[in-house]
Amino acid sequence: MPGPVEGRSRPRRRLGGSASVGTAAGPAADSDLVRATRGLPVSRTPVWFMRQAGRSLPEYRALREGTAMLEACQDPDLVTEITMQPVRRHGVDAAILFSDIVLPLVVAGVDIEIKPGVGPVIASPLRTVADVDALPPLEPDRLDFLATAVQRLVGELGATPLIGFAGAPFTLATYLIEGGPSKEHARTKAFMYAEPAAWQRLLERLAVSAATFLRVQVDAGASAVQLFDSWAGVLSAADYAGRVLPHSRAVFDGLARPEVPKVHFGVGTGELLPLIGDAGADVVGVDWRVPLDEAARRVGPGYSLQGNLDPAVLLADRETVDREVRRIVEQGRAARGHVFNLGHGVLPDTDPGVLTHVVELVHELTAR
Ligand code: CP3
């Protein structure tokens, strides 16, 4: 088994100040990633990529061969190895747990499959109030595999932080109600309007299971968490504020670990940016539509920012990649703290060499 990952980087400079005050314990507590989430000075802008563990890597495809996605997510050996792959290859400043947002539902007993090239598909979608009330709760003692994987990872990662994650109640509800991926999420919205009481119960239950899923990861040593509300951008600001945001806040409140840095991300959330931080995030994730300087204005002071590089840019020529990376590094200076990332996940046909190059370029441009 390989030793702790020191990254491919030079040793991190310790900066003065009360770095580890108010952050989670462990060798990663003073990492650039954790510091950037707090708006503290960093030795250079930390970089990681959403979906960095996955099909852009040949070593991932080789390891996953013959194992179904949701089975792989429950095997601590596979979770550890797949999570480590992009850290070793790219020298990113954080690992993100290899798992999936539907896993808490799967562990609770919901019949879900992840179809390659499609996404999560639910055998019996939730369509009635009775379906909502029959949703099984997530028992924390079924998450031993997760605690084991996180503990192993934290040991291997050393000073590199592990980001734990969960799916936000709204985005999970879209999969449960639609039965699979959807563009308009019309059934979800119709249910939200027609059955407000059952909608509230559904999102409350999903918030409890997301908080449980996060707490297991944090208690096992994860340094930060990200709540993915990938499809929240389909909502108006008023509906988001009234019918969704309180449940996202319940996830962070239910986690009950105020010292752990929290990232909150969604796609198409330009109109929601002034609201998203209210859920209790330290860092607001931004897609490629709103530049970071404008996003900093919309979220207001008191938040760090993450994201904005269009994943499709990584499929273009090197000059375009470099120009976009430089733009985002510059515009990111408007935020309290900046975590370099994509505006959504790595596309499967991305050349992994380009990802490694982006890490090196961000580090070079921001070394202090
Ligand atoms: O590297 C990482 O970011 C960590 C792993 C991760 C996965 N899924 C692995 C995965 C994370 C953070 C997720 C979260 C997730 N899953 C989200 C939120 C993030 C986002 O992209 O908005 C969503 C919406 C899902 C649901 C989901 N799972 C989709 C849409 C898909 C893609 C289906 C496909 O084949 O195109 C999945 C499957 C999935 N999750 C894969 C991976 C690596 C691919 C499955 C495979 O390799 O067989």
Side-chain angles (χ1 to χ4, degrees), residues 49-55 60 64 69 96-101 114-120 165 171 175 228 230-231 265 344:
F49 303 106
M50 291 187 279
R51 290 276 172 95
Q52 64 189 16
R55 285 172 299 178
Y60 168 81
R64 270 290 318 286
M69 174 67 191
I96 178 149
L97 181 80
F98 175 75
S99 189
D100 196 85
I101 57 166
I114 293 189
K115 292 215 164 116
V118 179
F165 75 90
T171 291
Y175 285 105
F228 285 91
S230 304
W231 314 137
F265 165 79
H344 202 180

Side-chain angles (χ1 to χ4, degrees), residues 7 44 119 122 182 212 362 368:
R44 55 202 189 173
I122 319 285
S182 146
T212 301
V362 173
R368 299 175 172 96

Side-chain angles (χ1 to χ4, degrees), residues 16 101 115-116 124 161 177 182 209 247 249 281 330 346:
I101 57 166
K115 292 215 164 116
S124 314
I177 295 172
S182 146
S209 88
H247 304 288
R249 186 184 294 129
E330 278 314 308
V346 175

Side-chain angles (χ1 to χ4, degrees), residues 6-331:
E6 302 298 344
R8 306 135 56 93
S9 44
R10 59 211 140 78
R12 280 156 216 275
R13 220 172 358 121
R14 292 258 156 178
L15 294 149
S18 52
S20 11
V21 174
T23 61
D30 199 28
S31 57
D32 281 334
L33 179 99
V34 169
R35 295 182 64 94
T37 67
R38 299 269 178 241
L40 295 169
V42 291
S43 64
R44 55 202 189 173
T45 299
V47 196
W48 68 278
F49 303 106
M50 291 187 279
R51 290 276 172 95
Q52 64 189 16
R55 285 172 299 178
S56 65
L57 300 183
E59 59 269 35
Y60 168 81
R61 294 194 295 267
L63 208 56
R64 270 290 318 286
E65 196 141 339
T67 310
M69 174 67 191
L70 293 170
E71 221 175 284
C73 293
Q74 296 177 72
D75 177 332
D77 290 335
L78 280 178
V79 170
T80 304
E81 182 55 26
I82 293 172
T83 302
M84 292 303 296
Q85 284 176 340
V87 181
R88 294 197 196 103
R89 184 192 261 263
H90 304 306
V92 280
D93 295 286
I96 178 149
L97 181 80
F98 175 75
S99 189
D100 196 85
I101 57 166
V102 296
L103 200 66
L105 299 170
V106 172
V107 171
V110 181
D111 189 349
I112 304 181
E113 195 192 337
I114 293 189
K115 292 215 164 116
V118 179
V121 176
I122 319 285
S124 314
L126 263 65
R127 295 284 156 81
T128 65
V129 173
D131 292 341
V132 168
D133 293 323
L135 191 69
L138 173 64
E139 306 294 348
D141 58 8
R142 290 205 182 175
L143 294 173
D144 288 353
F145 72 90
L146 184 65
T148 303
V150 170
Q151 282 158 4
R152 272 190 214 168
L153 274 166
V154 169
E156 276 205 39
L157 284 161
T160 302
L162 176 70
I163 301 172
F165 75 90
F170 175 76
T171 291
L172 287 175
T174 68
Y175 285 105
L176 285 171
I177 295 172
E178 305 293 335
S182 146
K183 276 213 172 77
E184 267 117 32
H185 301 99
R187 281 179 193 271
T188 308
K189 291 195 216 174
F191 192 86
M192 177 178 87
Y193 293 124
E195 300 289 354
W199 173 259
Q200 181 165 342
R201 284 203 300 286
L202 173 61
L203 267 65
E204 279 169 6
R205 283 170 174 228
L206 294 172
V208 170
S209 88
T212 301
F213 194 63
L214 289 179
R215 197 172 327 109
V216 168
Q217 298 172 65
V218 167
D219 288 351
S223 293
V225 294
Q226 176 155 330
L227 189 62
F228 285 91
D229 209 352
S230 304
W231 314 137
V234 301
L235 296 168
S236 70
D239 283 340
Y240 176 74
R243 304 177 198 251
V244 169
L245 173 76
H247 304 288
S248 302
R249 186 184 294 129
V251 178
F252 286 139
D253 288 350
L255 170 61
R257 298 288 184 276
E259 73 285 4
V260 171
K262 299 169 183 71
V263 188
H264 199 176
F265 165 79
V267 180
T269 55
E271 296 297 320
L272 309 182
L273 287 175
L275 297 166
I276 277 185
D278 284 354
D282 304 286
V283 183
V284 175
V286 181
D287 78 1
W288 57 91
R289 292 174 177 90
V290 181
L292 292 181
D293 48 359
E294 171 61 14
R297 204 184 58 72
R298 293 189 195 182
V299 299
Y303 301 101
S304 299
L305 292 180
Q306 170 178 289
N308 197 232
L309 181 60
D310 189 333
V313 163
L314 300 180
L315 308 179
D317 55 288
R318 190 59 68 98
E319 218 183 316
T320 305
V321 171
D322 288 6
R323 191 181 62 238
E324 284 296 288
V325 168
R326 286 172 194 277
R327 173 182 68 77
I328 289 164
V329 162
E330 278 314 308
Q331 291 171 340

